[in-house]
Amino acid sequence: MLEPGTNTRTHPVARHAGVALSGVAADGRQVALRAQGEALGYKNTYGSPIPGKILCDRVASYVHAFNLYWYVRPFGCVTLLATFDDEEGPALYAVDPAGGAFVSSFVLVVYWSFFSCSSSFLLQGERVGGRERERERERERKR
């Protein structure tokens, strides 16, 4: 990862999206290039970055098309697509070799629960933990 060009499993798609690939590296590169093309085409057409759900659906449709005909080989890679949107927050999508698309809701729950905590709540938790540590020290001294 420190040498340039040695990481062949992650690819940038756009400023707000990237893919991580597992499986055949050559197939993964083709899927990543298609995702980059879809993101660029959407930006040129609509003037805004492509939403993660639309990008995931387009990549899944492309992968699925290679399962429909006997004269083309299906892709041998699983694609993880990570996106970030100001309104929706982060999202993680998975596209399997059959063209199925899945969204991970765990990323959204962790993101919003992290930012919904107030700093006073976090500081209060540190104070409570500090009191517990003091009580345990006192108990150890008494023993």
Side-chain angles (χ1 to χ4, degrees):
M1 301 258 318
L2 297 176
E3 294 292 324
T6 58
N7 186 7
T8 61
R9 299 293 181 180
T10 60
H11 300 275
V13 173
R15 289 186 57 86
H16 70 290
V19 294
L21 305 160
S22 173
V24 180
D27 290 350
R29 279 194 304 271
Q30 292 303 311
V31 172
L33 287 173
R34 179 62 177 217
Q36 290 172 353
E38 292 289 344
L40 185 62
Y42 189 93
K43 177 127 176 126
N44 289 339
T45 303
Y46 298 106
S48 64
I50 188 169
K53 178 68 175 148
I54 294 174
L55 181 61
C56 179
D57 288 343
R58 289 186 180 186
V59 170
S61 296
Y62 175 69
V63 171
H64 179 67
F66 281 79
N67 286 303
L68 296 178
Y69 307 107
W70 62 270
Y71 52 86
V72 291
R73 182 179 62 83
F75 285 106
C77 67
V78 174
T79 305
L80 290 177
L81 176 66
T83 63
F84 184 84
D85 188 5
D86 291 334
E87 295 154 7
E88 298 293 324
L92 183 65
Y93 301 94
V95 178
D96 65 1
F102 309 97
V103 62
S104 173
S105 60
F106 176 74
V107 175
L108 299 174
V109 170
V110 170
Y111 175 77
W112 289 117
S113 63
F114 176 77
F115 282 106
S116 65
C117 291
S118 65
S119 60
S120 63
F121 176 76
L122 294 174
L123 292 175
Q124 181 182 2
E126 288 179 9
R127 285 191 295 241
V128 170
R131 287 187 211 142
E132 287 295 320
R133 285 191 293 267
E134 286 179 21
R135 289 180 189 156
E136 286 192 25
R137 287 181 194 151
E138 288 177 14
R139 287 182 200 143
E140 289 177 7
R141 289 180 199 157
K142 291 178 183 179
R143 291 182 190 172

